[in-house]
Amino acid sequence: MTYPTAVGWKGLPGYVLAEAGVTRDPDGLVRIPYRLRDGSLYAERVVAESGRRWWRPGDGRPVIPFGLDRLEHPDFRGYRSLAIVEGESDALALWASLGHEGLDVLGVPGASTWRSSWTEHANGYVATYAFGDGDGAGRALNAAARRDLPDAIAVELPDGEDVRSIVQRDGADALLDLIGEAERAAEIGSAILSATSLADLYAKLGLEEAIDRAA
């Protein structure tokens, strides 16, 4: 049975919901399809108006990340980046705001569901970012992703925020600012760990000229 697009769900654009196949049935249940790389349906995440969630079929099959079918082909990832986010609505919000900027998105269906085997989905991307929610569980997701993907950059969101709330309130530029801050923090951390002297650290951070001017 075919149901209409879940227009209005989480305040997300209708075209994004339609492209992802997110529907709402007559009982008000929102159905979010999880697809394999080839686009075939693997399972549905069902969301009730109360916020309760469950899987169909509920047969205990292993969870998979959301958005596998929309990842770039591995042969052509060299010009794109990957974002790992927490939840389907965050993934959809990021697709809507930055997908056209060369960013693919993988949604983890719960902060504690990250699997080390999912690192294969990051192969070939020029950069990988982890966007766990701004709480303890989200930061634990970032840490878990970085343990398995050491080159990934953790974008720490403000307390109580998630990707969707930031994009919907402040726009994509606010998220880009957070990405820039995270990249700079990662650059500084890498420089500190690899520097052989204070002068070498200044050189790695591009501070030599500024120090000379100050002197």
Side-chain angles (χ1 to χ4, degrees), residues 32-54:
I32 307 166
Y34 274 63
R35 301 184 185 280
L36 299 174
R37 286 283 294 133
D38 63 5
S40 60
L41 182 65
Y42 179 77
E44 286 184 328
R45 194 85 180 272
V46 184
V47 184
E49 293 179 349
S50 66
R52 188 170 71 90
R53 295 168 175 258
W54 64 93

Side-chain angles (χ1 to χ4, degrees), residues 6 11 20 33 47 87 141 154 179 197 205 208:
V47 184
L141 169 60
I179 292 173
S197 66
L205 296 177
E208 287 178 317

Side-chain angles (χ1 to χ4, degrees), residues 132-139 155-163 165-166 169 178:
D133 290 355
D135 56 23
R139 294 183 184 102
V155 181
E156 302 293 346
L157 304 184
D159 289 347
E161 301 280 9
D162 59 21
V163 167
S165 68
I166 292 171
R169 185 187 62 244
L178 290 172

Side-chain angles (χ1 to χ4, degrees), residues 124-144:
Y125 283 103
V126 66
T128 300
Y129 303 94
F131 290 87
D133 290 355
D135 56 23
R139 294 183 184 102
L141 169 60
N142 284 354

Side-chain angles (χ1 to χ4, degrees), residues 75-97:
D75 290 345
F76 305 106
R77 291 178 179 174
Y79 62 95
R80 297 185 69 82
S81 298
L82 177 69
I84 298 169
V85 303
E86 187 178 339
E88 304 92 0
S89 66
D90 276 9
L92 293 168
L94 202 50
W95 272 325
S97 59

